[in-house]
Amino acid sequence: MSAYAGQKLEAAQTKSLNDLVGPSPNIQIGNSYNSSNITIRGIGNQQINAGQDSGVAIHSDGVYIGQPSLTLATFLDLARVEILRGPQGTLFGRNATGGVINVVPNEPTAETHYGFDLTAGVDPALFQISGFINGALNDSGTLSGRVAAQQTYNRGFTRNLLPNGPNRLDDAKNQSIRGQIKWEPSDSFNARVLVEYANDDSNGPATFLEGTPDPTIPLPSILVGQSRGDVGDVGDREVFANINYRKVHAFNANLTLNWALGGGNLKALLSYADSKLLNVSDGDGTAAEDTYASFKNTARQTYNELIYTSDNSKPFTYLLGVNYFREHLEQAIEVPIAEAPLGGGVTLYNITVLGGAVPLITTSYAAFGRAQYAFTRDFKLFAGLRYTRDKKSIVQYNNFINGGALQSSTSKWDRLTYELGASYAFSPTLDGYLKYSTGFKGGGYSAGTLAPSFRPETNANYEAGLKGNFFNRALQANLATFYMKYDDLQVNQIVGVSSSVTNAAKATVYGVELETSLRLADALRIEWSGAYLNTSFDRFQTADSSRPTTCDPGTGVGNVPCSIDLSGNALPQSPKYTSSLGGYYDIPTSTGKVTLGARYDWKSRVYFTEFNLPISSQKSVGKLNLFLNYESDNGRLTGSLFVKNVTNEQVKGNVIVVSSIIGSLALGQYQPGRQVGMSVGYHF
C-alpha cells in the first residue's frame, strides 16, 4: 500500500490522481472517451461501452464509486489518498482484482480553521482557487461543520487549427464544493453528513490521428491528403478538431454513523450519488468532417455498508461487514461516419452507428469478515472471507444503418473469495508479511453489441513484503514481491463497429515494488521508488478488427474470422519498468524554511492494446518536475514556484485503434505538457 497525506500532496502540486502516477509503482491512468482507465499491476478497465466493472475499485469517503471518472478530476480538501495493490477480496466495497484507490476527505472538527490556496500558471494559462472553513456550530462543540470549494481553469495544452471548432483542447474548467456536518453528542456516538457536487464544462481531450496499425492499410479516401496534428516535436501540440466538448455533473450524499459497542465500533454508511456525462470527440483528427464519437452516460447509485470492528487491544481481533450496491445506468452512443471502407472496393457513405443501454441495472450484495490472532507481540496470523453475489440486467439496442429492436437480458454470478497470511516483526523497526489472496470481478455486458454476457474474472495472488526503518530511521523502505494467476481475464476489444469485452483464457502477472525515503542529513531527503512488472497472456486467441487480413491461417470457422495467437503478449497499460527519483533540500530562513525539490518519473514502453503494436504504444519516456516551496514556522503560510514536465515531453495516455469498417484509424490522446506556475496558501 502507498499512502499520501494531504499536506504532502499540496507541497508536490498533486492536483489529481494523474499526478500520483509518477511516484506510485505499478499504477497507470489513461482516458478513453467517457471513462478513466485505471490499472494497478496491469489490471483495470479498458472498456469504452457500459457494462463492465473496473478491476480497480475507487472509494471516496468510504463509498464505492461506480463511475470513477467523475471523482478523480481534482483533489479537494483531502486528509490522504491510499493505493492498495492486488486483489482486495475481504475488506473494501465491491470486489476488486487489481486493487483499490481510497480517497479520504478531511472531516469537521470543533476547532476553528480556515484557509485558501491560489495557483496561477502559464504555458498554458492556469488558474485555480480553493478554500475551506471549519469549526463548531454550537456552544458545546458537539455540532461542527466544514465547507470546501474549488474552481479550476486551464486554457488547454493543445491548440485547435480549425476556426469553426473549440480554440483549445486538453483544457480544464471545473468546479466542486463539499459540505459536511458532524454531530458528536458523546464519546460513544457520532454522525456525519457529507454532500458534494462537481461540474466539468471543458472542451475535452484532443484526438490525434497516429495512422493505421499496418502500413499496407490505406487511410479512408476522405482523409487522404488532409492535414493532421503533429506532436512529434517539442511544443508542437496542434490538432484539427471539428467538434469536441465534455460536460459532467456529479452529486453525492453520504450519512456515516459510528457507535462504540462492546469494546468495538459499529459503523453504518448510507449513500446516494447521481451523475450525467456527455463526451463528444472528433473521431479522425483531421480537418475532414468524417466522424465523431458521442457518449452520453446517466447513472444513479446507492451504496450501503454495515461494519463491526472489535477491540484492537486484544490478541484476537476481527471485522464483520455486509454491503449493498445498486446502479441504474443508461448509455447512448452515436458515431456518424461520412465514409466507411468495407474492403473489396466497397464504401458506404453517410451512415450512423448507434448503440447503448436503456437501462443497465447492477445489483451487488456482499458479506465479509477478517480476523487476526497475535500469538506473540511479534507473530500474527490473519485470514479473511467474502461472499459476493452480482446481478446485471440490461435492455439494449444496436442500430447499424437500418436500426434494430430492443433486447433484454439478465445474468447472475457469485463467488467465495478468501485471504490467508502471516506477519512477523523481526525487530522494532522491521516487519515482514506473507499472504495468499483470491479475487473476483463479476461478469457483465458490452452495451450496444447485443452480445451475450461475458464471464467473471478471477485471480489468485501470492505476495511477500518487508517494511522497515534503518540507520536510526534515516532510511524507510517498503518492498513487495507478488505472483498472480488470472482466469477468464476480461479484455476490451473493438469488434466490428462496437467496443466489447472478451474473456482471455489465462494470464500471469508477477513483479517487484520498492519504495524508499532516505534522509542523508537533516536538510536533505532522497525518495526513490521503482518497480518491475511482467504481464503476459498465457493463452489468448482472438481476431483484430482493425487488421482483418492479419491472422493465423486455418483458425476461421464459418462466419467467425480467423484469429491471432496472442500468447506471450503483455497486458495493456503495464510497463515492465517504472522508476521515480526525487531530491528535496531544506534551507532555513528567519521566518520558516524553503525547500528545493526535483523529481524525475520514468517508465518503459507501454502498450495500450493486447496486440502490442508499436503504433498503439508509448515508448520509454521520463518527466522532470521542479519545485521551490516555502513554509512558515507556524505552518500557516505556504508558497511554491513549480515547473511540471520541464522538457515538455509529449506522452501518450491512450491509443484506440478502431475497426477496419471505419478506417482502421489509430487515435491517440496525450497527457499534459509543460506547466509553469506559482501558488500561495494561508491556513489558520
Side-chain angles (χ1 to χ4, degrees):
M1 182 181 77
S2 299
Y4 302 89
Q7 290 182 337
K8 183 177 180 179
L9 296 175
E10 293 176 6
Q13 294 297 316
T14 303
K15 302 298 185 181
S16 68
L17 187 63
N18 288 282
D19 295 329
L20 278 181
V21 171
S24 303
N26 284 338
I27 177 172
Q28 301 293 321
I29 298 180
N31 293 315
S32 62
Y33 299 115
N34 60 319
S35 64
S36 294
N37 294 332
I38 304 169
T39 62
I40 295 178
R41 294 177 176 174
I43 302 301
N45 175 23
Q46 299 288 321
Q47 192 182 18
I48 298 172
N49 289 17
Q52 180 191 29
D53 299 322
S54 176
V56 176
I58 307 298
H59 292 254
S60 180
D61 192 37
V63 176
Y64 171 80
I65 305 297
Q67 302 295 307
S69 63
L70 307 173
T71 66
L72 303 175
T74 57
F75 285 163
L76 171 63
D77 192 32
L78 297 185
R80 65 187 182 277
V81 176
E82 301 168 342
I83 300 175
L84 291 80
R85 302 176 181 87
Q88 305 297 318
T90 59
L91 292 180
F92 279 91
R94 299 196 64 204
N95 216 344
T97 50
V100 166
I101 296 174
N102 193 25
V103 180
V104 183
N106 286 311
E107 295 186 11
T109 61
E111 297 81 14
T112 299
H113 295 291
Y114 59 86
F116 73 89
D117 293 276
L118 176 65
T119 301
V122 295
D123 193 25
L126 164 69
F127 179 80
Q128 183 181 77
I129 184 169
S130 61
F132 74 93
I133 184 168
N134 173 94
L137 300 178
N138 60 3
D139 293 337
S140 63
T142 58
L143 195 66
S144 57
R146 189 179 186 99
V147 176
Q150 186 175 81
Q151 168 80 49
T152 302
Y153 169 80
N154 187 303
R155 187 181 178 213
F157 291 93
T158 302
R159 186 164 68 97
N160 185 14
L161 299 178
L162 288 181
N164 59 319
N167 181 254
R168 309 284 289 203
L169 301 171
D170 294 314
D171 61 330
K173 186 180 179 183
N174 53 65
Q175 308 86 30
S176 55
I177 184 168
R178 179 193 303 132
Q180 299 180 75
I181 295 178
K182 188 174 185 179
W183 181 46
E184 198 164 8
S186 67
D187 293 338
S188 61
F189 175 78
N190 66 72
R192 179 170 57 90
V193 175
L194 177 148
V195 178
E196 187 171 24
Y197 174 77
N199 176 73
D200 183 353
D201 189 13
S202 62
N203 293 328
T207 298
F208 291 87
L209 177 56
E210 307 286 339
T212 60
D214 187 330
T216 64
I217 300 176
L219 290 173
S221 60
I222 192 174
L223 303 183
V224 174
Q226 292 283 350
S227 298
R228 48 180 164 155
D230 181 14
V231 294
D233 298 325
V234 173
D236 196 16
R237 186 107 162 208
E238 298 175 336
V239 75
F240 293 85
N242 293 282
I243 187 172
N244 236 86
Y245 57 88
R246 175 181 172 87
K247 297 182 183 297
V248 180
H249 304 277
F251 168 84
N252 65 281
N254 309 333
L255 172 62
T256 307
L257 308 172
N258 288 286
W259 294 270
L261 295 175
N265 184 75
L266 180 65
K267 176 184 176 182
L269 172 62
L270 305 172
S271 72
Y272 169 81
D274 65 50
S275 62
K276 295 179 181 179
L277 181 150
L278 176 61
N279 197 100
V280 179
S281 299
D282 187 280
D284 53 74
T286 74
E289 295 186 11
D290 182 29
T291 182
Y292 69 82
S294 172
F295 289 81
K296 183 179 181 181
N297 283 18
T298 302
R300 300 190 304 273
Q301 76 162 59
T302 56
Y303 180 79
N304 305 322
E305 190 169 63
L306 188 66
I307 295 179
Y308 180 78
T309 54
S310 67
D311 186 351
N312 286 328
S313 64
K314 305 294 184 181
F316 177 70
T317 59
Y318 61 91
L319 176 152
L320 298 172
V322 293
N323 61 40
Y324 166 80
F325 171 79
R326 186 180 191 275
E327 181 184 60
H328 182 286
L329 171 64
E330 296 182 9
Q331 182 181 75
I333 302 172
E334 181 179 358
V335 186
I337 307 167
E339 178 181 303
L342 298 182
V346 178
T347 301
L348 294 179
Y349 297 94
N350 298 320
I351 64 173
T352 299
V353 178
L354 299 172
V358 276
L360 170 64
I361 298 175
T362 301
T363 306
S364 178
Y365 304 86
F368 52 93
R370 190 179 191 272
Q372 177 176 276
Y373 187 79
F375 290 90
T376 68
R377 188 174 63 178
D378 298 330
F379 177 62
K380 301 173 183 177
L381 290 179
F382 57 88
L385 192 68
R386 180 188 188 95
Y387 174 75
T388 305
R389 182 175 178 83
D390 286 357
K391 174 183 174 182
K392 287 184 185 288
S393 300
I394 190 171
V395 179
Q396 61 178 327
Y397 60 88
N398 190 346
N399 184 350
F400 180 58
I401 305 176
N402 294 322
L406 290 173
Q407 294 188 17
S408 60
S409 180
T410 297
S411 295
K412 300 177 182 179
W413 309 273
D414 65 339
R415 193 61 54 97
L416 193 67
T417 54
Y418 57 93
E419 178 185 60
L420 299 169
S423 64
Y424 185 76
F426 296 96
S427 73
T429 60
L430 179 61
D431 294 323
Y433 69 90
L434 291 168
K435 71 174 183 178
Y436 172 78
S437 58
T438 62
F440 163 78
K441 185 175 73 169
Y445 292 92
S446 301
T449 66
L450 301 184
S453 62
F454 49 84
R455 299 186 301 276
E457 170 183 301
T458 60
N459 67 334
N461 179 50
Y462 303 83
E463 187 164 337
L466 292 171
K467 300 176 182 290
N469 296 295
F470 308 92
F471 309 118
N472 197 25
R473 299 186 180 275
L475 172 64
Q476 298 178 9
N478 298 331
L479 173 68
T481 62
F482 56 91
Y483 179 87
M484 289 189 286
K485 296 291 290 187
Y486 279 83
D487 285 323
D488 289 325
L489 179 67
Q490 297 169 5
V491 180
N492 183 70
Q493 294 185 294
I494 304 295
V495 178
V497 294
S498 300
S499 171
S500 65
V501 173
T502 300
N503 288 101
K506 293 181 182 295
T508 300
V509 176
Y510 60 88
V512 180
E513 298 159 349
L514 178 62
E515 296 175 279
T516 65
S517 177
L518 175 63
R519 189 166 287 279
L520 296 174
D522 289 342
L524 179 61
R525 183 178 81 257
I526 303 295
E527 294 181 352
W528 180 76
S529 65
Y532 167 75
L533 180 65
N534 189 298
T535 68
S536 63
F537 294 106
D538 298 332
R539 190 169 67 247
F540 189 19
Q541 196 91 15
T542 187
D544 184 355
S545 290
S546 69
R547 298 177 299 156
T549 60
T550 301
C551 57
D552 297 330
T555 58
V557 179
N559 294 325
V560 178
C562 53
S563 60
I564 306 170
D565 184 3
L566 301 185
S567 301
N569 277 18
L571 273 61
Q573 291 277 16
S574 56
K576 182 163 286 190
Y577 302 100
T578 57
S579 177
S580 176
L581 177 63
Y584 308 90
Y585 186 75
D586 298 330
I587 303 173
T589 68
S590 59
T591 58
K593 69 175 180 181
V594 171
T595 300
L596 303 176
R599 194 184 77 232
Y600 185 74
D601 304 321
W602 177 88
K603 62 184 176 184
S604 60
R605 183 178 292 274
V606 179
Y607 292 104
F608 299 109
T609 74
E610 65 275 17
F611 299 106
N612 290 188
L613 300 175
I615 198 168
S616 56
S617 72
Q618 169 60 54
K619 65 180 181 180
S620 59
V621 67
K623 292 182 181 180
L624 175 64
N625 301 317
L626 300 177
F627 308 93
L628 191 156
N629 297 336
Y630 170 80
E631 182 180 1
S632 63
D633 286 330
N634 58 15
R636 293 183 178 179
L637 181 63
T638 59
S640 179
L641 300 174
F642 62 88
V643 185
K644 293 182 179 181
N645 192 3
V646 175
T647 55
N648 200 22
E649 299 292 337
Q650 304 302 319
V651 181
K652 299 174 188 176
N654 196 18
V655 177
I656 297 173
V657 185
V658 303
S659 166
S660 61
I661 295 177
I662 52 177
S664 299
L665 306 180
L667 305 173
Q669 296 180 349
Y670 282 73
Q671 298 176 8
R674 179 173 50 230
Q675 182 76 75
V676 181
M678 62 176 294
S679 65
V680 60
Y682 181 79
H683 293 195
F684 175 79

